[in-house]
Amino acid sequence: QWRAGRVLLAGDAAHQMPPMAGQGMCSGIRDAFNLAWKLAAVVRGEAGDAVLDTYQEERAPHAREVIEFAIGLGRVVCTIDPAVAAARDTDLLAARKAGISPPGPVISPFHRGLMLDGSAAAGAIFPQPVAQASAGKTRLDDVLGPGAWLITRSKPDGSSFDAHDLKALELDDPALAPFAAPLRGWLGEQGAEAVLVRPDRVVFGTGEAHRLVQSYKRALRSNSTLAA
């Protein structure tokens, strides 16, 4: 149990991560990122207190997947049986020769929590396009800044999207010009007109812009998984 009233656990206090995959601090950072924006929304009066219950609902299954990956990696790295080690080395060398990279940590989407359940890509981590600028590489995060984003193919009605620290932009907006191609491609893959991205860069949902915003507001208040 990661929450008891005003007490919330994160990082090693909530889950212990084997060291083999280097994911201990990464998992703690993911916990903090998931929790911080929800705490802020509650403090600002934008969300009900029960929204904090979605923190463990979202993070615990993913943390468990990464723990299992680290345990499996430990079995590969830490074997002391010469025969098992020899077979491992043979398999790894054959895979490298074939151009097969070893699997990395699992970054699965959330399956339950604060999202528009059933909409394409809901619960997934939103892509981070990187553009080359005169001053060096620029990330989408650097341009759009903190808070939630609504990114649409066509111009949204800004009067409808004035709550919950939500920034609404269309793909033709000059700020998105360096990233328009990959963002348009991603929306095309989802078959969606718009995407609403939570402050922790998890996709709340995809679909029609106005409905996404209304569903996001309701989700913050009701704290239940919504159906697309």
Side-chain angles (χ1 to χ4, degrees), residues 9 17-18 28 32 54 57 61 86 97 100 117 121 133 140 150 209 214:
L9 304 180
M17 188 72 60
T54 66
E57 183 179 36
K97 187 176 181 179
I100 301 172
D117 188 43
L140 183 63
L150 177 72
Q214 296 306 313

Side-chain angles (χ1 to χ4, degrees), residues 70-108:
I71 291 172
L73 188 60
R75 294 194 180 105
V76 173
V77 173
C78 299
T79 182
I80 58 175
D81 185 311
V84 173
R88 172 203 63 195
D89 295 347
T90 299
D91 291 344
L92 289 175
L93 289 170
R96 184 171 70 176
K97 187 176 181 179
I100 301 172
S101 299
V106 177
I107 308 296
S108 298

Side-chain angles (χ1 to χ4, degrees), residues 23 30 62 65-66 104-109 124-125:
Q23 288 294 307
R30 293 186 187 110
H62 178 264
E65 289 184 3
V66 177
V106 177
I107 308 296
S108 298
I125 298 174

Side-chain angles (χ1 to χ4, degrees), residues 2 15 31 55-65 67:
W2 295 12
H15 45 76
D31 292 345
Y55 160 58
Q56 181 175 359
E57 183 179 36
E58 293 177 349
R59 284 290 308 131
H62 178 264
R64 171 52 55 188
E65 289 184 3
I67 289 169

Side-chain angles (χ1 to χ4, degrees), residues 49 51 133 146:
D49 175 81
V51 76

